[in-house]
Amino acid sequence: MENIDEVSAVPRELEEALKNNSLTTAAGKIQDYLKEINNVELNIAVTGETGSGKSTFVNAFRGMKNNEEGAALTGVVETTMEAKAYPHPKYPNLKVWDLPGIGTSNFKPEEYLQKVEFDRFDFFIIVSSERFRANDITLAKEIQKMKKKFYFVRSKIDNDMKAEGRKEMFDQDKTLETIRQYCIKGLEDQGLGSPKVFLISSFDLGYYDFHDFEETIEKELPDHKRSVFAFFLEYCLQTRKC
């Protein structure tokens, strides 16, 4: 499987062909380039402690319900015993991996990274249903050492809103911001810079930060197809040959 860096050299060749007004050459390179793009694979790992809602989040991210065929297994006890890949329906080459919960007797922090083969993943999503704990911080710092991207997801926000909604003078926006800043400060205090924390309910995807999260992830996907056609369109406009 080719990685993004290997494919990224192709647009430069295409741009050169366009500058030289070679439509035939450019068209050929577009075809070659698209074939290479189809071989690019992204692997996103969803991790965190057991009970944080990882598997439910994996299903939600893929647009599936927990009881659908092909959905990640969920439950009130530890259900994810090994890393398993689930394809994203919109991006076939994007695989969402449901990782075992860290910190249990089966997956101790000092053994976790090696057992789940962290090197194979491109992105990491660290999920917590409350505050981010020591195990989450450990994972984040190890991912930083690997120089890879990661995001924090504060899950089960719908439960918090229901509980806080019983109080007088409830303000949802202020409550959400309080939760967000609480999470961010806790992470900053542990030396993690200025992390972005997404507040998500896997059962109410139309609310909170889920769409913002999806858009953020989508921006991280290879945009080589858009680049190819942007170069091609520029050639068409300049030469009037399309």
Side-chain angles (χ1 to χ4, degrees):
M1 191 63 63
E2 297 186 50
N3 61 41
I4 298 172
D5 290 335
E6 291 171 337
V7 178
S8 63
V10 178
R12 289 191 291 271
E13 296 179 7
L14 178 58
E15 184 177 16
E16 188 64 29
L18 295 176
K19 288 180 179 178
N20 293 330
N21 293 331
S22 177
L23 181 59
T24 302
T25 301
K29 289 189 179 296
I30 288 174
Q31 294 300 318
D32 293 341
Y33 187 50
L34 293 181
K35 289 179 182 178
E36 292 189 55
I37 289 172
N38 289 331
N39 290 326
V40 173
E41 185 176 280
L42 289 178
N43 292 281
I44 298 179
V46 179
T47 184
E49 293 189 339
T50 296
S52 61
K54 295 185 294 81
S55 299
T56 298
F57 175 80
V58 167
N59 294 332
F61 186 69
R62 298 168 60 231
M64 301 184 69
K65 296 181 179 179
N66 288 340
N67 59 355
E68 287 188 52
E69 182 177 355
L73 185 64
T74 62
V76 295
V77 297
E78 187 177 7
T79 56
T80 306
M81 302 306 295
E82 61 180 11
K84 184 174 181 180
Y86 296 90
H88 193 291
K90 291 172 65 177
Y91 308 102
N93 288 346
L94 189 159
K95 295 181 179 179
V96 186
W97 288 75
D98 189 10
L99 302 191
I102 188 174
T104 66
S105 58
N106 293 313
F107 295 94
K108 298 178 181 179
E110 60 271 19
E111 304 170 348
Y112 187 81
L113 297 178
Q114 183 176 359
K115 281 189 175 182
V116 301
E117 301 179 49
F118 253 37
D119 286 343
R120 62 182 164 179
F121 304 117
D122 300 291
F123 299 94
F124 299 86
I125 301 167
I126 302 175
V127 180
S128 175
S129 59
E130 298 175 358
R131 62 184 176 84
F132 292 95
R133 304 178 187 276
N135 289 329
D136 303 315
I137 303 301
T138 299
L139 287 177
K141 289 185 175 180
E142 289 301 318
I143 296 169
Q144 278 186 330
K145 291 179 183 177
M146 297 162 61
K147 301 186 184 304
K148 294 190 177 183
K149 296 180 182 296
F150 62 91
Y151 303 93
F152 289 102
V153 165
R154 170 62 162 78
S155 64
K156 303 183 182 181
I157 288 296
D158 52 321
N159 293 341
D160 296 286
M161 293 302 101
K162 289 177 183 177
E164 292 296 316
R166 299 188 183 98
K167 300 179 180 180
E168 293 185 9
M169 305 297 291
F170 169 68
D171 186 310
Q172 178 171 290
D173 291 338
K174 288 183 178 179
T175 302
L176 290 172
E177 188 59 22
T178 297
I179 295 173
R180 182 180 288 107
Q181 292 305 318
Y182 174 76
C183 292
I184 290 174
K185 185 178 186 305
L187 295 169
E188 288 178 336
D189 289 345
Q190 295 298 320
L192 287 173
S194 300
K196 188 169 185 180
V197 175
F198 296 92
L199 309 183
I200 288 174
S201 164
S202 296
F203 296 106
D204 294 306
L205 299 184
Y207 298 94
Y208 318 120
D209 296 341
F210 188 81
H211 292 308
D212 184 24
F213 174 80
E214 272 201 319
E215 289 177 0
T216 300
I217 292 296
E218 187 171 353
K219 289 176 183 177
E220 303 295 340
L221 296 175
D223 60 355
H224 306 306
K225 289 186 180 181
R226 289 191 296 273
S227 296
V228 169
F229 286 106
F231 283 128
F232 187 71
L233 179 60
E234 180 179 355
Y235 175 79
C236 293
L237 294 173
Q238 290 178 352
T239 63
R240 309 280 184 181
K241 291 184 179 180
C242 297

